[in-house]
Amino acid sequence: KAKNGQGLWSEVGTSDGITVSDITPPTTPVVTDDGDTTTSTTQLHATWTSSDPASGIAEYQYAIGTSAGGTDVVPWTSAGINTEVTHTGLNLTVGTTYYFAVKAQNGQGLWSEVGVSDGITITDSTPPTTPVVTDDGDTTTSTTELHASWSSSDGESGIAEYQHAIGTSAGGTDVVDWTSAGINTEVTHTGLNLTVGTTYYFAVKAKNGEGLWSEAGVSDGITVGNHSVSDGDEGKIAGLPFWGWIAIGVVVVLIIGVVIGRRLAHKRV
């Protein structure tokens, strides 16, 4: 307002106003996930903190990636003004590390720098399937070697190793103690000293990429038979079936009959 020489004051004039604005963004969010590892392959959880004393936090956005600050798993998604999120419906891979990224916007529309978690790795919590073990039938004539094959699976971290054993009882290890087969799915174990009439069993267990062992799978057993009779030779003498010997006998009898008949005919003459 203004006063003149006569002491009279004017009306009050007013400016159109000037607003003090926030020119600094929020602090970079500090992001925390749920530790170093998780067994869930479908969801991830994280919390964060940020501040803006001047104009306050108006919105948070988060993303998830397989690299620090990445967005290849979940693109930038609004979390409103919430300071945590559990993101479900994911398809995560065992052995992969995932990172949360979070940024904050203040009341003036300014975005903070991106804060990133230190990463959480998906681990396998289930062992491989119990191996299905198959030996070479009901009997064998070998007293020095046994062969078996098997199958198992682990859809999360894969098979890292198989071990096998041989015993005279299902699951026993009294003939061959637990021995690594690597990732092979069959073995021929030689140099054995097997007993005729005894039944032997293969046992196999599988380890996955997380070091978890399956239950032991066991074959149905294979019995060592007598060397003189091998599989497929039962009912044979010197390798020839009984009916073969009968046929030979009939032929011999016929030949002898013909010879005797000729001699008798010659005597009559």
Side-chain angles (χ1 to χ4, degrees):
K1 59 184 178 179
K3 185 174 72 170
N4 64 14
Q6 292 296 313
L8 300 175
W9 286 97
S10 70
E11 296 292 327
V12 175
T14 305
S15 72
D16 60 1
I18 183 169
T19 302
V20 178
S21 63
D22 185 359
I23 60 172
T24 58
T27 60
T28 302
V30 177
V31 188
T32 305
D33 48 39
D34 287 343
D36 294 332
T37 62
T38 180
T39 58
S40 175
T41 58
T42 60
Q43 69 178 39
L44 291 172
H45 171 265
T47 61
W48 53 82
T49 59
S50 178
S51 63
D52 190 292
S55 61
I57 302 296
E59 183 187 6
Y60 290 108
Q61 288 191 6
Y62 72 94
I64 302 174
T66 53
S67 61
T71 62
D72 53 309
V73 178
V74 176
W76 287 110
T77 303
S78 178
I81 59 172
N82 297 309
T83 57
E84 68 175 319
V85 69
T86 299
H87 199 105
T88 60
L90 299 173
N91 185 20
L92 308 177
T93 303
V94 170
T96 300
T97 302
Y98 296 89
Y99 302 84
F100 273 90
V102 179
K103 57 185 178 181
Q105 185 188 51
N106 66 14
Q108 291 295 313
L110 300 176
W111 286 99
S112 70
E113 296 291 327
V114 174
V116 180
S117 71
D118 59 2
I120 186 166
T121 303
I122 311 302
T123 59
D124 187 356
S125 62
T126 57
T129 60
T130 301
V132 176
V133 189
T134 305
D135 50 38
D136 287 343
D138 295 331
T139 62
T140 179
T141 59
S142 175
T143 59
T144 60
E145 70 176 44
L146 291 172
H147 170 266
S149 60
W150 54 83
S151 62
S152 177
S153 63
D154 190 292
E156 295 173 312
S157 59
I159 302 296
E161 182 187 4
Y162 291 108
Q163 289 191 6
H164 72 280
I166 303 173
T168 53
S169 61
T173 61
D174 52 310
V175 178
V176 175
D177 204 355
W178 288 110
T179 303
S180 178
I183 58 172
N184 296 308
T185 56
E186 67 176 321
V187 68
T188 300
H189 206 102
T190 60
L192 302 174
N193 185 18
L194 308 177
T195 303
V196 172
T198 300
T199 301
Y200 297 88
Y201 302 83
F202 272 90
V204 179
K205 57 185 178 180
K207 182 175 72 172
N208 66 14
E210 288 296 321
L212 301 176
W213 286 99
S214 71
E215 297 291 327
V218 181
S219 70
D220 59 1
I222 185 166
T223 303
V224 178
N226 194 307
H227 288 283
S228 62
V229 180
S230 62
D231 291 346
D233 284 343
E234 293 86 350
K236 295 182 179 181
I237 300 175
L240 191 65
F242 292 143
W243 63 263
W245 287 107
I246 293 172
I248 291 173
V250 170
V251 172
V252 170
V253 169
L254 290 174
I255 293 172
I256 292 173
V258 170
V259 172
I260 293 174
R262 287 180 177 178
R263 286 184 177 179
L264 290 175
H266 180 70
K267 287 182 178 179
R268 290 194 189 101
V269 174

Coordinates of all heavy atoms in Angstrom, one line a residue, residues 114-206:
V114 N 17.1 -45.1 -8.9 CA 16.6 -46.4 -8.7 C 17.4 -47.1 -7.6 O 18.6 -47.2 -7.7 CB 16.6 -47.2 -10.0 CG1 16.2 -48.7 -9.7 CG2 15.7 -46.6 -11.1
G115 N 16.6 -47.6 -6.6 CA 17.3 -48.5 -5.6 C 17.1 -49.9 -6.0 O 16.0 -50.3 -6.5
V116 N 18.1 -50.8 -5.7 CA 18.1 -52.2 -6.1 C 18.4 -53.1 -4.9 O 19.3 -52.7 -4.1 CB 19.1 -52.4 -7.2 CG1 19.1 -53.9 -7.7 CG2 18.8 -51.5 -8.4
S117 N 17.7 -54.2 -4.8 CA 17.9 -55.2 -3.8 C 19.2 -55.9 -4.1 O 19.7 -55.8 -5.2 CB 16.8 -56.1 -3.6 OG 16.7 -57.0 -4.7
D118 N 19.7 -56.7 -3.1 CA 21.0 -57.4 -3.3 C 20.8 -58.7 -4.0 O 21.7 -59.5 -4.2 CB 21.8 -57.5 -2.0 CG 21.0 -58.3 -0.9 OD1 19.9 -58.7 -1.2 OD2 21.6 -58.4 0.2
G119 N 19.5 -59.1 -4.3 CA 19.3 -60.3 -5.1 C 18.9 -61.5 -4.2 O 19.4 -61.7 -3.1
I120 N 18.0 -62.3 -4.8 CA 17.5 -63.5 -4.1 C 17.5 -64.6 -5.1 O 17.1 -64.5 -6.2 CB 16.1 -63.3 -3.5 CG1 15.7 -64.5 -2.6 CG2 15.1 -63.0 -4.5 CD1 14.5 -64.2 -1.7
T121 N 18.1 -65.8 -4.7 CA 18.3 -66.9 -5.7 C 17.3 -68.0 -5.4 O 17.1 -68.3 -4.2 CB 19.8 -67.5 -5.5 OG1 20.7 -66.4 -5.8 CG2 20.0 -68.6 -6.5
I122 N 16.8 -68.5 -6.4 CA 15.8 -69.6 -6.3 C 16.5 -70.9 -6.1 O 17.4 -71.3 -6.9 CB 14.9 -69.7 -7.6 CG1 14.3 -68.3 -7.9 CG2 13.7 -70.7 -7.3 CD1 13.5 -67.7 -6.8
T123 N 16.2 -71.7 -5.1 CA 16.8 -73.0 -4.8 C 15.8 -74.1 -4.9 O 14.6 -73.9 -4.8 CB 17.5 -73.0 -3.4 OG1 16.4 -72.7 -2.4 CG2 18.5 -71.9 -3.3
D124 N 16.3 -75.3 -5.1 CA 15.5 -76.5 -5.3 C 15.3 -77.1 -3.9 O 16.3 -77.5 -3.2 CB 16.2 -77.5 -6.2 CG 15.4 -78.7 -6.6 OD1 14.3 -78.8 -6.0 OD2 15.8 -79.5 -7.4
S125 N 14.0 -77.3 -3.5 CA 13.8 -77.9 -2.2 C 13.3 -79.3 -2.2 O 13.1 -79.9 -1.2 CB 12.7 -77.0 -1.5 OG 11.5 -77.1 -2.2
T126 N 13.2 -79.9 -3.4 CA 12.7 -81.3 -3.5 C 13.7 -82.1 -4.2 O 14.4 -81.7 -5.1 CB 11.4 -81.3 -4.4 OG1 11.6 -80.7 -5.7 CG2 10.3 -80.5 -3.7
P127 N 13.9 -83.4 -3.7 CA 14.9 -84.3 -4.2 C 14.4 -84.8 -5.6 O 13.3 -84.7 -5.9 CB 15.0 -85.4 -3.2 CG 13.7 -85.4 -2.5 CD 13.2 -84.0 -2.5
P128 N 15.3 -85.5 -6.3 CA 14.9 -86.2 -7.5 C 13.9 -87.3 -7.2 O 13.7 -87.7 -6.1 CB 16.2 -86.8 -8.0 CG 17.3 -86.0 -7.4 CD 16.8 -85.7 -6.0
T129 N 13.3 -87.8 -8.3 CA 12.4 -88.9 -8.1 C 13.2 -90.2 -7.8 O 14.4 -90.3 -8.1 CB 11.6 -89.2 -9.4 OG1 12.5 -89.5 -10.5 CG2 10.7 -88.0 -9.8
T130 N 12.5 -91.1 -7.1 CA 13.2 -92.4 -6.7 C 13.6 -93.1 -8.0 O 12.7 -93.4 -8.8 CB 12.3 -93.2 -5.8 OG1 12.0 -92.5 -4.7 CG2 13.0 -94.5 -5.5
P131 N 14.8 -93.5 -8.2 CA 15.2 -94.2 -9.5 C 14.4 -95.5 -9.6 O 14.2 -96.2 -8.7 CB 16.7 -94.5 -9.3 CG 17.1 -93.4 -8.4 CD 16.0 -93.2 -7.4
V132 N 14.0 -95.8 -10.9 CA 13.4 -97.1 -11.3 C 14.6 -97.9 -11.8 O 15.2 -97.5 -12.8 CB 12.3 -96.9 -12.3 CG1 11.8 -98.2 -12.8 CG2 11.2 -96.0 -11.8
V133 N 14.9 -99.0 -11.1 CA 16.1 -99.8 -11.4 C 15.7 -101.1 -12.1 O 14.8 -101.8 -11.6 CB 16.9 -100.0 -10.1 CG1 18.3 -100.7 -10.5 CG2 17.1 -98.7 -9.4
T134 N 16.4 -101.5 -13.2 CA 16.1 -102.7 -13.9 C 17.4 -103.5 -14.1 O 18.4 -102.9 -14.6 CB 15.5 -102.4 -15.3 OG1 14.4 -101.6 -15.1 CG2 15.2 -103.7 -16.0
D135 N 17.4 -104.7 -13.6 CA 18.6 -105.6 -13.9 C 18.3 -106.4 -15.1 O 17.3 -106.2 -15.8 CB 18.9 -106.5 -12.6 CG 17.7 -107.2 -12.0 OD1 16.9 -107.6 -12.9 OD2 17.6 -107.3 -10.8
D136 N 19.1 -107.4 -15.3 CA 19.1 -108.2 -16.6 C 18.2 -109.5 -16.5 O 18.6 -110.5 -17.0 CB 20.5 -108.5 -17.1 CG 21.2 -107.3 -17.6 OD1 20.5 -106.3 -17.9 OD2 22.4 -107.4 -17.8
G137 N 17.1 -109.4 -15.9 CA 16.2 -110.5 -15.8 C 16.2 -111.2 -14.5 O 16.7 -110.7 -13.5
D138 N 15.6 -112.4 -14.5 CA 15.5 -113.2 -13.3 C 16.7 -113.9 -12.9 O 17.0 -114.1 -11.7 CB 14.3 -114.2 -13.4 CG 13.0 -113.5 -13.5 OD1 12.8 -112.4 -13.0 OD2 12.1 -114.1 -14.2
T139 N 17.5 -114.4 -13.9 CA 18.7 -115.2 -13.7 C 19.9 -114.7 -14.5 O 19.7 -114.1 -15.6 CB 18.4 -116.7 -13.9 OG1 18.1 -116.8 -15.3 CG2 17.3 -117.2 -13.0
T140 N 21.1 -115.1 -14.1 CA 22.3 -114.9 -14.9 C 23.2 -116.1 -14.6 O 23.1 -116.7 -13.5 CB 23.0 -113.6 -14.5 OG1 24.2 -113.5 -15.3 CG2 23.3 -113.6 -13.1
T141 N 24.1 -116.4 -15.5 CA 25.0 -117.5 -15.3 C 26.4 -117.0 -14.9 O 27.3 -117.7 -14.6 CB 25.2 -118.4 -16.6 OG1 25.6 -117.6 -17.7 CG2 23.9 -119.1 -16.9
S142 N 26.6 -115.6 -15.0 CA 27.9 -115.1 -14.7 C 28.0 -115.0 -13.2 O 27.1 -114.6 -12.5 CB 28.0 -113.7 -15.3 OG 29.2 -113.0 -14.9
T143 N 29.2 -115.3 -12.7 CA 29.6 -115.2 -11.3 C 30.5 -114.0 -11.1 O 31.1 -113.9 -10.0 CB 30.2 -116.5 -10.7 OG1 31.3 -116.8 -11.5 CG2 29.1 -117.6 -10.8
T144 N 30.8 -113.3 -12.1 CA 31.8 -112.2 -12.0 C 31.3 -110.8 -12.3 O 31.9 -109.8 -12.0 CB 33.0 -112.5 -12.9 OG1 32.5 -112.5 -14.3 CG2 33.7 -113.8 -12.6
E145 N 30.1 -110.7 -13.0 CA 29.6 -109.3 -13.3 C 28.1 -109.3 -13.3 O 27.4 -110.3 -13.4 CB 30.1 -108.9 -14.6 CG 29.6 -109.6 -15.8 CD 30.0 -109.1 -17.2 OE1 31.3 -108.8 -17.3 OE2 29.2 -108.9 -18.1
L146 N 27.6 -108.1 -13.0 CA 26.2 -107.8 -13.0 C 26.0 -106.4 -13.7 O 26.8 -105.5 -13.6 CB 25.6 -107.7 -11.6 CG 25.6 -109.0 -10.8 CD1 25.2 -108.8 -9.3 CD2 24.6 -110.0 -11.4
H147 N 24.8 -106.3 -14.4 CA 24.5 -105.1 -15.1 C 23.1 -104.6 -14.7 O 22.2 -105.4 -14.5 CB 24.5 -105.4 -16.6 CG 24.0 -104.2 -17.4 ND1 22.7 -104.2 -17.8 CD2 24.6 -103.1 -17.9 CE1 22.5 -103.1 -18.5 NE2 23.6 -102.4 -18.6
A148 N 22.9 -103.3 -14.7 CA 21.6 -102.7 -14.4 C 21.5 -101.3 -15.1 O 22.5 -100.7 -15.3 CB 21.4 -102.6 -12.9
S149 N 20.3 -100.9 -15.3 CA 20.1 -99.5 -15.8 C 19.0 -98.9 -14.9 O 18.3 -99.6 -14.2 CB 19.6 -99.6 -17.3 OG 18.5 -100.4 -17.4
W150 N 18.8 -97.6 -15.0 CA 17.8 -96.9 -14.2 C 17.4 -95.6 -14.8 O 18.0 -95.1 -15.7 CB 18.4 -96.7 -12.8 CG 19.7 -96.0 -12.8 CD1 20.0 -94.6 -12.9 CD2 21.0 -96.6 -12.8 NE1 21.3 -94.4 -12.9 CE2 22.0 -95.5 -12.8 CE3 21.5 -97.9 -12.7 CZ2 23.4 -95.8 -12.8 CZ3 22.8 -98.1 -12.6 CH2 23.8 -97.1 -12.7
S151 N 16.4 -95.0 -14.2 CA 15.9 -93.7 -14.7 C 15.4 -92.9 -13.5 O 14.8 -93.5 -12.5 CB 14.8 -93.8 -15.7 OG 13.7 -94.5 -15.2
S152 N 15.6 -91.6 -13.5 CA 15.2 -90.7 -12.5 C 15.1 -89.3 -13.1 O 15.6 -89.1 -14.2 CB 16.1 -90.7 -11.3 OG 15.7 -89.7 -10.3
S153 N 14.4 -88.4 -12.4 CA 14.4 -87.0 -13.0 C 14.3 -86.0 -11.9 O 13.9 -86.3 -10.8 CB 13.1 -86.9 -13.9 OG 11.9 -87.1 -13.2
D154 N 14.7 -84.8 -12.2 CA 14.5 -83.6 -11.4 C 14.3 -82.4 -12.2 O 15.3 -81.9 -12.8 CB 15.8 -83.4 -10.5 CG 15.5 -82.4 -9.4 OD1 15.4 -81.2 -9.7 OD2 15.5 -82.7 -8.2
G155 N 13.1 -82.0 -12.3 CA 12.7 -80.9 -13.3 C 13.2 -79.5 -12.8 O 13.1 -78.6 -13.6
E156 N 13.7 -79.4 -11.6 CA 14.1 -78.1 -11.1 C 15.6 -77.8 -11.3 O 16.0 -76.9 -11.9 CB 13.7 -77.9 -9.7 CG 12.2 -77.9 -9.5 CD 11.7 -77.9 -8.0 OE1 12.3 -78.8 -7.3 OE2 10.9 -77.1 -7.7
S157 N 16.4 -78.6 -10.6 CA 17.9 -78.4 -10.7 C 18.7 -79.5 -11.4 O 19.9 -79.5 -11.5 CB 18.5 -78.2 -9.3 OG 18.2 -79.3 -8.5
G158 N 17.9 -80.5 -11.9 CA 18.6 -81.6 -12.7 C 19.3 -82.6 -11.8 O 19.5 -82.4 -10.6
I159 N 19.7 -83.7 -12.5 CA 20.5 -84.7 -11.8 C 22.0 -84.4 -11.9 O 22.5 -84.2 -13.0 CB 20.2 -86.1 -12.5 CG1 18.7 -86.4 -12.5 CG2 21.1 -87.2 -11.8 CD1 18.2 -86.6 -11.1
A160 N 22.6 -84.4 -10.8 CA 24.1 -84.1 -10.7 C 24.9 -85.4 -10.5 O 26.1 -85.4 -11.0 CB 24.4 -83.2 -9.5
E161 N 24.3 -86.4 -10.0 CA 25.1 -87.7 -9.7 C 24.2 -88.8 -9.4 O 23.1 -88.6 -8.8 CB 26.1 -87.5 -8.6 CG 27.0 -88.7 -8.3 CD 27.8 -88.5 -7.0 OE1 27.7 -87.5 -6.3 OE2 28.6 -89.4 -6.8
Y162 N 24.6 -90.0 -9.8 CA 23.9 -91.3 -9.4 C 25.0 -92.1 -8.6 O 26.2 -92.0 -8.9 CB 23.5 -92.1 -10.5 CG 22.3 -91.6 -11.3 CD1 22.5 -91.0 -12.6 CD2 21.0 -91.6 -10.8 CE1 21.5 -90.6 -13.4 CE2 20.0 -91.1 -11.6 CZ 20.2 -90.6 -12.8 OH 19.1 -90.1 -13.6
Q163 N 24.5 -92.8 -7.6 CA 25.3 -93.8 -6.9 C 24.6 -95.1 -6.9 O 23.3 -95.1 -6.8 CB 25.6 -93.3 -5.5 CG 26.6 -92.2 -5.4 CD 27.2 -91.9 -4.0 OE1 26.9 -92.7 -3.0 NE2 27.9 -90.9 -3.8
H164 N 25.3 -96.2 -7.0 CA 24.7 -97.5 -7.0 C 25.4 -98.4 -6.0 O 26.6 -98.2 -5.6 CB 24.8 -98.2 -8.4 CG 26.2 -98.6 -8.8 ND1 27.1 -97.8 -9.2 CD2 26.8 -99.9 -8.7 CE1 28.3 -98.4 -9.5 NE2 28.0 -99.7 -9.2
A165 N 24.7 -99.4 -5.5 CA 25.2 -100.4 -4.6 C 24.6 -101.8 -5.0 O 23.6 -101.9 -5.7 CB 24.9 -100.1 -3.2
I166 N 25.3 -102.9 -4.5 CA 24.8 -104.2 -4.8 C 24.8 -105.0 -3.5 O 25.8 -104.9 -2.7 CB 25.6 -105.0 -5.8 CG1 25.7 -104.2 -7.2 CG2 25.1 -106.4 -6.1 CD1 26.7 -104.8 -8.2
G167 N 23.7 -105.7 -3.2 CA 23.6 -106.5 -2.0 C 22.8 -107.7 -2.2 O 22.2 -107.9 -3.2
T168 N 22.9 -108.6 -1.2 CA 22.1 -109.8 -1.2 C 20.7 -109.7 -0.6 O 20.0 -110.7 -0.5 CB 22.9 -110.9 -0.5 OG1 23.2 -110.5 0.8 CG2 24.2 -111.3 -1.2
S169 N 20.4 -108.5 -0.3 CA 19.0 -108.1 0.1 C 18.6 -106.8 -0.5 O 19.5 -106.1 -1.0 CB 18.9 -108.0 1.7 OG 19.8 -107.0 2.1
A170 N 17.3 -106.6 -0.6 CA 16.9 -105.4 -1.3 C 17.4 -104.1 -0.6 O 17.1 -103.9 0.6 CB 15.3 -105.4 -1.3
G171 N 18.2 -103.3 -1.2 CA 18.8 -102.1 -0.6 C 20.1 -102.4 0.1 O 20.7 -101.5 0.6
G172 N 20.5 -103.7 0.1 CA 21.8 -104.0 0.8 C 23.0 -103.5 0.0 O 23.0 -103.2 -1.2
T173 N 24.1 -103.4 0.8 CA 25.4 -102.9 0.2 C 26.5 -103.8 0.6 O 27.7 -103.4 0.6 CB 25.7 -101.5 0.7 OG1 25.8 -101.5 2.2 CG2 24.6 -100.5 0.4
D174 N 26.2 -105.1 0.9 CA 27.2 -106.0 1.4 C 28.1 -106.6 0.2 O 29.2 -107.1 0.5 CB 26.6 -107.2 2.1 CG 25.5 -107.9 1.3 OD1 24.6 -107.2 0.8 OD2 25.5 -109.1 1.2
V175 N 27.7 -106.5 -1.0 CA 28.5 -106.9 -2.1 C 29.4 -105.8 -2.7 O 30.6 -105.9 -2.9 CB 27.7 -107.6 -3.2 CG1 28.5 -108.0 -4.4 CG2 26.9 -108.8 -2.6
V176 N 28.7 -104.7 -3.0 CA 29.3 -103.4 -3.5 C 28.7 -102.3 -2.7 O 27.5 -102.1 -2.7 CB 29.1 -103.2 -5.0 CG1 29.7 -101.9 -5.4 CG2 29.8 -104.3 -5.8
D177 N 29.6 -101.5 -2.0 CA 29.1 -100.4 -1.3 C 28.8 -99.2 -2.2 O 29.1 -99.3 -3.4 CB 30.2 -99.9 -0.3 CG 29.6 -99.1 0.9 OD1 28.4 -98.9 0.9 OD2 30.4 -98.8 1.8
W178 N 28.1 -98.2 -1.7 CA 27.7 -97.1 -2.6 C 28.9 -96.6 -3.4 O 29.9 -96.2 -2.9 CB 27.1 -95.9 -1.8 CG 25.8 -96.3 -1.2 CD1 25.5 -96.5 0.1 CD2 24.6 -96.4 -1.9 NE1 24.1 -96.8 0.3 CE2 23.6 -96.7 -1.0 CE3 24.2 -96.4 -3.3 CZ2 22.2 -97.0 -1.4 CZ3 22.9 -96.6 -3.6 CH2 21.9 -96.9 -2.7
T179 N 28.7 -96.5 -4.7 CA 29.7 -96.2 -5.7 C 29.2 -95.2 -6.7 O 28.1 -95.4 -7.2 CB 30.2 -97.4 -6.4 OG1 30.7 -98.4 -5.4 CG2 31.4 -97.1 -7.4
S180 N 29.9 -94.1 -7.0 CA 29.4 -93.1 -7.9 C 29.4 -93.7 -9.4 O 30.3 -94.4 -9.8 CB 30.3 -91.9 -7.9 OG 29.8 -90.9 -8.9
A181 N 28.3 -93.4 -10.1 CA 28.2 -93.7 -11.5 C 28.2 -92.4 -12.3 O 27.9 -92.5 -13.5 CB 26.9 -94.5 -11.7
G182 N 28.5 -91.3 -11.7 CA 28.5 -90.0 -12.4 C 27.0 -89.7 -12.8 O 26.1 -89.9 -12.0
I183 N 26.8 -89.3 -14.0 CA 25.5 -89.1 -14.5 C 25.0 -90.2 -15.5 O 24.0 -90.1 -16.2 CB 25.3 -87.7 -15.1 CG1 26.3 -87.6 -16.3 CG2 25.5 -86.6 -14.1 CD1 26.1 -86.3 -17.1
N184 N 25.8 -91.3 -15.5 CA 25.4 -92.5 -16.3 C 24.2 -93.1 -15.7 O 23.9 -93.1 -14.5 CB 26.5 -93.5 -16.3 CG 27.8 -92.9 -17.0 OD1 27.7 -92.4 -18.1 ND2 28.9 -93.0 -16.3
T185 N 23.3 -93.7 -16.6 CA 22.1 -94.3 -16.2 C 22.2 -95.8 -16.3 O 21.1 -96.5 -16.4 CB 20.9 -93.8 -17.0 OG1 21.2 -94.0 -18.4 CG2 20.7 -92.3 -16.7
E186 N 23.4 -96.4 -16.4 CA 23.6 -97.8 -16.3 C 25.0 -98.1 -15.9 O 25.9 -97.3 -16.0 CB 23.3 -98.5 -17.7 CG 24.2 -98.1 -18.8 CD 23.9 -98.9 -20.1 OE1 23.6 -100.0 -20.0 OE2 24.0 -98.3 -21.2
V187 N 25.2 -99.4 -15.5 CA 26.5 -99.8 -15.1 C 26.7 -101.3 -15.2 O 25.7 -102.0 -15.1 CB 26.8 -99.4 -13.6 CG1 25.9 -100.2 -12.6 CG2 28.3 -99.5 -13.2
T188 N 27.8 -101.7 -15.6 CA 28.2 -103.1 -15.6 C 29.3 -103.3 -14.6 O 30.4 -102.8 -14.8 CB 28.7 -103.6 -17.0 OG1 27.6 -103.5 -17.9 CG2 29.1 -105.1 -16.9
H189 N 29.0 -103.9 -13.5 CA 30.0 -104.0 -12.4 C 30.7 -105.4 -12.5 O 30.1 -106.4 -12.5 CB 29.3 -103.9 -11.0 CG 30.3 -103.4 -10.0 ND1 30.3 -102.1 -9.5 CD2 31.3 -104.0 -9.3 CE1 31.2 -102.0 -8.6 NE2 31.8 -103.1 -8.5
T190 N 32.0 -105.3 -12.8 CA 32.8 -106.6 -13.0 C 33.7 -106.9 -11.8 O 33.7 -106.1 -10.8 CB 33.7 -106.4 -14.2 OG1 34.6 -105.3 -14.0 CG2 32.8 -106.1 -15.5
G191 N 34.4 -108.0 -11.9 CA 35.3 -108.4 -10.8 C 34.6 -108.9 -9.6 O 35.2 -108.9 -8.5
L192 N 33.4 -109.3 -9.7 CA 32.6 -109.8 -8.5 C 32.9 -111.3 -8.3 O 33.4 -112.0 -9.1 CB 31.1 -109.6 -8.8 CG 30.7 -108.1 -9.1 CD1 29.2 -108.1 -9.4 CD2 31.0 -107.3 -7.8
N193 N 32.5 -111.7 -7.1 CA 32.6 -113.1 -6.7 C 31.3 -113.6 -6.2 O 31.0 -113.6 -5.0 CB 33.7 -113.3 -5.6 CG 33.9 -114.8 -5.3 OD1 33.6 -115.7 -6.1 ND2 34.5 -115.0 -4.1
L194 N 30.4 -113.9 -7.2 CA 29.0 -114.2 -6.9 C 28.8 -115.7 -6.6 O 29.6 -116.5 -7.1 CB 28.1 -113.7 -8.1 CG 28.3 -112.3 -8.5 CD1 27.4 -112.0 -9.7 CD2 28.0 -111.3 -7.4
T195 N 27.8 -116.0 -5.9 CA 27.5 -117.4 -5.5 C 26.3 -117.9 -6.2 O 25.2 -117.3 -6.3 CB 27.2 -117.4 -4.0 OG1 28.3 -116.9 -3.3 CG2 27.0 -118.9 -3.5
V196 N 26.4 -119.1 -6.8 CA 25.3 -119.7 -7.5 C 24.2 -120.0 -6.5 O 24.4 -120.4 -5.4 CB 25.8 -121.1 -8.2 CG1 24.6 -121.8 -8.7 CG2 26.8 -120.8 -9.2
G197 N 23.0 -119.6 -7.0 CA 21.8 -119.8 -6.1 C 21.4 -118.6 -5.3 O 20.4 -118.5 -4.7
T198 N 22.3 -117.6 -5.3 CA 22.0 -116.4 -4.5 C 21.4 -115.3 -5.4 O 21.8 -115.1 -6.5 CB 23.4 -115.8 -3.9 OG1 23.9 -116.8 -3.0 CG2 23.1 -114.6 -3.1
T199 N 20.5 -114.5 -4.8 CA 19.9 -113.4 -5.5 C 20.5 -112.1 -5.1 O 20.7 -111.8 -3.9 CB 18.4 -113.4 -5.2 OG1 17.8 -114.6 -5.6 CG2 17.7 -112.2 -6.0
Y200 N 20.8 -111.3 -6.1 CA 21.5 -110.0 -5.9 C 20.6 -108.9 -6.4 O 19.9 -109.0 -7.3 CB 22.9 -110.0 -6.6 CG 23.8 -111.0 -6.1 CD1 23.8 -112.3 -6.7 CD2 24.7 -110.8 -5.1 CE1 24.7 -113.3 -6.2 CE2 25.6 -111.7 -4.6 CZ 25.6 -113.0 -5.2 OH 26.4 -114.0 -4.7
Y201 N 20.7 -107.7 -5.6 CA 19.9 -106.6 -5.9 C 20.7 -105.3 -6.1 O 21.7 -105.1 -5.3 CB 18.9 -106.3 -4.7 CG 18.0 -107.5 -4.3 CD1 18.5 -108.5 -3.6 CD2 16.7 -107.5 -4.8 CE1 17.7 -109.6 -3.2 CE2 15.9 -108.6 -4.5 CZ 16.4 -109.6 -3.7 OH 15.6 -110.7 -3.4
F202 N 20.4 -104.6 -7.1 CA 21.0 -103.3 -7.3 C 20.2 -102.2 -6.6 O 18.9 -102.2 -6.6 CB 21.0 -102.9 -8.8 CG 22.2 -103.3 -9.6 CD1 22.2 -104.6 -10.2 CD2 23.3 -102.5 -9.7 CE1 23.3 -105.0 -10.9 CE2 24.4 -102.9 -10.4 CZ 24.4 -104.2 -11.0
A203 N 20.8 -101.3 -5.9 CA 20.2 -100.1 -5.3 C 20.8 -98.9 -6.0 O 22.0 -98.8 -6.1 CB 20.4 -100.1 -3.8
V204 N 20.0 -97.9 -6.3 CA 20.5 -96.7 -6.9 C 19.8 -95.4 -6.3 O 18.6 -95.5 -6.0 CB 20.1 -96.6 -8.4 CG1 20.6 -95.4 -9.1 CG2 20.8 -97.8 -9.1
K205 N 20.6 -94.4 -6.0 CA 20.0 -93.1 -5.5 C 20.6 -92.0 -6.4 O 21.6 -92.1 -7.0 CB 20.3 -92.9 -4.1 CG 21.8 -92.9 -3.7 CD 22.0 -92.8 -2.2 CE 23.5 -92.9 -1.8 NZ 23.7 -92.7 -0.4
A206 N 19.8 -90.9 -6.5 CA 20.1 -89.8 -7.4 C 20.3 -88.5 -6.5 O 19.5 -88.3 -5.6 CB 19.1 -89.6 -8.4

